[in-house]
Amino acid sequence: MQFLGIKVFAKLIPNQFDVEYRICLGYAYLCRYENLECEQGKIALEQAISTFPNQQKLIELRKYY
């Protein structure tokens, strides 16, 4: 699954907004359309928001959980 590759890449380049946003976006898709990984996605999203508190794109993803 390509999504797992992004998670591995995120460990190589921590604290990059684009990488964290794509991970959260992937989890939001899985939760909304597949009803999978919702709890893990919510945790990842809250961690990303705490790292990037001024990023509205992340805050908007909360509606999928």
Side-chain angles (χ1 to χ4, degrees):
M1 181 179 209
Q2 187 176 6
F3 180 62
L4 294 176
I6 293 173
K7 289 175 62 176
V8 171
F9 185 68
K11 290 181 181 180
L12 296 174
I13 305 176
N15 297 324
Q16 292 290 321
F17 172 73
D18 290 334
V19 175
E20 295 296 326
Y21 176 70
R22 284 177 174 79
I23 289 171
C24 292
L25 193 61
Y27 276 124
Y29 177 89
L30 286 174
C31 185
R32 183 174 186 191
Y33 296 109
E34 305 289 333
N35 200 27
L36 297 171
E37 302 289 341
C38 294
E39 189 61 35
Q40 184 64 29
K42 189 173 185 177
I43 292 168
L45 178 60
E46 293 306 320
Q47 288 174 345
I49 289 172
S50 70
T51 303
F52 306 100
N54 297 323
Q55 291 291 337
Q56 189 62 31
K57 289 168 72 172
L58 288 172
I59 295 167
E60 290 174 4
L61 291 178
R62 280 185 171 151
K63 64 185 172 190
Y64 298 115
Y65 297 99

